[in-house]
Amino acid sequence: MSNSSQLILLDVDGTLVDSQVSIIEAMYSAFDEIGCPLPSRSKILSTIGLLLPRAFQVLIANEGRSLNEKACDIHK
């Protein structure tokens, strides 16, 4: 019997699964929770792939540091 292992990696997002709707809904929920104006769909989509704290920095850059800190605390 062979002990060799195989690893298969699949990137299914955008191919087999479209998570954009879920990401946008989650962001809208988070922004509603912190009382921040909702960013546009396109602005949210532009942050996909960023770490969540960085995404919030981009999305609420004009709302002030304390609001940004509060937004980044949501994911903890």
Side-chain angles (χ1 to χ4, degrees), residues 8-58:
I8 298 173
L9 299 175
L10 300 173
D11 181 7
V12 298
D13 190 39
T15 304
L16 301 175
V17 177
D18 184 5
S19 62
Q20 288 184 2
V21 171
S22 297
I23 291 169
I24 291 168
E25 288 175 356
M27 283 294 204
Y28 283 172
S29 179
F31 275 76
D32 186 53
E33 179 71 26
I34 62 172
C36 188
L38 301 179
S40 69
R41 179 182 188 280
S42 62
K43 188 72 171 175
I44 292 171
L45 294 179
S46 75
T47 65
I48 290 178
L50 298 177
L51 295 175
L52 192 54
R54 179 65 185 136
F56 276 110
Q57 288 173 346
V58 169

Side-chain angles (χ1 to χ4, degrees), residues 52-53 56 69-76:
L52 192 54
F56 276 110
E69 290 170 346
K70 186 175 179 181
C72 290
D73 285 341
I74 288 175
H75 83 286
K76 292 180 181 177

